[in-house]
Amino acid sequence: MKGWMFMRFILAFLLTTLLAACGSKPPANNAAAIFAQASMQRGATAFAQGDLSGARHEYTRALNVYESLDDVKGRAGALLSLSRIASQSGNNTEALATVNKVLAEPSALDGATLVTAHGRASAIYLAQGDTARADRQLASASAICGAACTDAAALTVLRARSALAQQQPAAALQLAGQALTMPALAASNPPTLKPQASAERANALRLQAQAQLALQQPGAAVAVASEALQLDRALGLAERVLLDLRLLSQAHAAAGAGDTARHYQGLADRAESAGKALRDNARAN
Amino acid sequence: MATVKVAVDKLSIALGKIDPILDDTRKLTNEAAAMRQTLSSSMTATLANIQAMSGQFRQTSESARVLVGNIDSDRAKVVGEVQGLLKTLNNDLPQALDKTKDTLENARSASADVKQILRESRNDIPAIVRSGRTAAQDAAEITTGLKGSWPFSGAASPAEPSTLPLDSFEGRK
């Protein structure tokens, strides 16, 4: 009976999807908008593959099209993406200038876009060490987000990051724990099933471990950092793997396990060298 | 029988893919758009399998039960194989639909309303199907997402624009 019900379900579901799609008219997009959307898609793909130059090229092209069409929403999406690419490239000044272009026209944007923009600005201010501005951006984002929004978990982890930057490890620990209880950050197996959520979960775990280390809880930090490392490895996030390895080295050292600490430091050094070689090769090519 | 099992297998893989996709419509459109670039397989065989399956529901119930168990125990592998099916579900579908529309509509009538099926089976389906229930209950939203990106419609329109999402790590060096 279960098998029969299962088969009925999957057939009905697939048919519903097929027929609904078949019977509907395609979205009414003009050729320019289609071109811009395709560029956005290619930009996202390039970014996911670590091709920042290619991603910048595609999003810039999309931005030009959206601006030529006076498409405010499309323009905001392209700018937000370019901001992320700039910060990923280590250019936080450019990243901030880019996201501020979005925030300069808030009235024409939807809430989700504004939350992402304020959150992005906050992350950049944190990277620049300006926690006051970061907190103001976070407050703006949270006010729009309310009880829940797509970026709620990332905003909570950013608040934890800000607390830690302000030498408030207990608050950071509490916020990171709060983020980890959010359904959006529930563990998925394999992590690549939900790469964005898994990456954010790893961010929360890393923050938690850093806070525990600051609170003289190295044993707990080792356990949590190990989990973050597993996720980041699975997701192929080399920069974060490097941070996790360093964190594990520090935590083991704080726990009195000098040999293990040196082992992780060696792994971190090797990962850093390999990352540098990859970047050098990319530049040479 | 083997043909039906293949069809069930492919459809089950699709179901395994739909569950995680539901969490983020933007992800759905991203993936569908990315897949569009590599599409090459034909839908004809799958539709033929659906047709065969609709006539052999009861005879294959035992196979399906085994299949459900396999999905529960090895879901990661199942999901990992989904791209093959999605490729199959793409390029030739708009053309194939003309030929198979009657079959599909007959099958839809026979299989009744998805929500009714789910109400009836609420306590009688394994975990993977309960996950799928959410997908079915949100079928309208899924379809909306698919219509915007999936080439089912035969349109050349790409998916919704892909803005890079907020990540609390960004900015760190």
Side-chain angles (χ1 to χ4, degrees):
Chain A
M1 187 62 183
K2 281 182 181 177
W4 183 79
M5 292 302 296
F6 175 68
M7 291 181 66
R8 284 191 79 196
F9 166 74
I10 56 175
L11 181 64
F13 175 78
L14 189 66
L15 293 178
T16 301
T17 306
L18 289 176
L19 291 172
C22 178
S24 63
K25 292 180 181 176
N29 287 320
N30 61 58
I34 289 169
F35 178 84
Q37 288 170 7
S39 281
M40 295 280 281
Q41 291 287 337
R42 286 194 295 271
T45 302
F47 184 83
Q49 294 170 344
D51 176 10
L52 298 182
S53 174
R56 184 183 292 108
H57 172 75
E58 295 292 352
Y59 279 114
T60 300
R61 195 152 63 166
L63 174 64
N64 290 337
V65 174
Y66 285 130
E67 289 190 333
S68 73
L69 298 173
D70 192 29
D71 183 333
V72 176
K73 188 180 176 188
R75 174 181 182 269
L79 283 171
L80 284 175
S81 302
L82 285 166
S83 173
R84 172 96 189 259
I85 293 164
S87 69
Q88 185 79 13
S89 304
N91 192 340
N92 280 326
T93 303
E94 179 189 332
L96 191 57
T98 306
V99 79
N100 279 336
K101 290 179 184 174
V102 177
L103 291 170
E105 298 181 21
S107 59
L109 300 174
D110 59 44
T113 301
L114 284 172
V115 168
T116 302
H118 284 298
R120 186 143 294 156
S122 170
I124 299 165
Y125 280 128
L126 280 175
Q128 294 178 330
D130 190 341
T131 54
R133 282 198 171 92
D135 284 350
R136 281 201 289 276
Q137 294 291 338
L138 279 174
S140 298
S142 299
I144 301 167
C145 177
C149 66
T150 304
D151 290 329
L155 292 176
T156 305
V157 181
L158 280 168
R159 287 168 61 202
R161 197 175 143 191
S162 178
L164 196 61
Q166 296 175 65
Q167 313 303 319
Q168 298 168 6
L173 185 61
Q174 188 267 329
L175 285 164
Q178 183 183 326
L180 288 166
T181 63
M182 292 180 171
L185 294 198
S188 67
N189 187 20
T192 45
L193 265 183
K194 299 181 180 179
Q196 185 62 34
S198 297
E200 200 55 67
R201 179 176 175 80
N203 291 342
L205 289 165
R206 195 181 313 106
L207 250 301
Q208 197 173 48
Q210 289 169 330
Q212 286 165 334
L213 197 53
L215 292 167
Q216 310 298 320
Q217 300 169 11
V222 164
V224 173
S226 297
E227 191 179 343
L229 175 62
Q230 280 188 334
L231 286 173
D232 289 328
R233 272 181 184 153
L235 295 167
L237 301 172
E239 287 179 336
R240 307 181 199 199
V241 165
L242 177 57
L243 282 185
D244 297 334
L245 290 170
R246 284 181 179 155
L247 187 56
L248 277 166
S249 175
Q250 292 167 7
H252 280 293
D259 286 347
T260 311
R262 280 187 287 280
H263 168 70
Y264 277 108
Q265 186 56 49
L267 294 178
D269 291 343
R270 187 172 69 186
E272 187 171 28
S273 297
K276 183 176 181 304
L278 283 172
R279 286 191 295 276
D280 290 345
N281 285 340
R283 273 194 286 270
N285 295 328
Chain B
M1 201 64 172
T3 302
V4 172
K5 188 177 187 312
V6 169
V8 173
D9 207 344
K10 288 181 176 179
L11 292 170
S12 301
I13 292 168
L15 187 63
K17 181 66 178 176
I18 286 163
D19 183 24
I21 283 173
L22 263 180
D23 290 338
D24 187 341
T25 302
R26 284 184 298 180
K27 180 185 171 192
L28 165 68
T29 55
N30 290 349
E31 291 191 358
M35 287 166 192
R36 184 186 298 114
Q37 299 172 3
T38 55
L39 298 180
S40 60
S41 301
S42 168
M43 181 62 192
T44 307
T46 300
L47 291 175
N49 289 336
I50 291 172
Q51 190 175 17
M53 186 174 67
S54 68
Q56 300 180 54
F57 266 146
R58 295 181 184 280
Q59 291 92 325
T60 56
S61 62
E62 219 26 66
S63 298
R65 206 187 324 274
V66 172
L67 189 63
V68 168
N70 290 341
I71 293 169
D72 276 339
S73 64
D74 198 10
R75 179 172 172 170
K77 183 182 174 189
V78 166
V79 173
E81 293 171 358
V82 73
Q83 286 208 346
L85 172 68
L86 294 176
K87 287 178 182 176
T88 305
L89 286 176
N90 270 290
N91 265 356
D92 295 335
L93 181 59
Q95 294 79 14
L97 281 173
D98 287 336
K99 298 178 184 174
T100 58
K101 191 174 179 182
D102 290 343
T103 302
L104 291 172
E105 288 182 342
N106 289 339
R108 184 173 65 164
S109 299
S111 56
D113 178 70
V114 170
K115 288 185 178 178
Q116 182 59 34
I117 291 171
L118 293 169
R119 275 195 293 274
E120 291 171 358
S121 61
R122 190 171 299 276
N123 299 314
D124 192 33
I125 49 179
I128 181 65
V129 182
R130 283 199 296 276
S131 298
R133 179 195 303 158
T134 305
Q137 288 170 335
D138 290 336
E141 284 122 348
I142 301 171
T143 304
T144 300
L146 288 170
K147 280 189 292 189
S149 59
W150 208 288
F152 281 165
S153 64
S157 55
E160 285 291 305
S162 296
T163 302
L164 295 178
L166 180 64
D167 183 321
S168 67
F169 182 81
E170 56 189 81
R172 297 191 75 148
K173 281 291 163 190

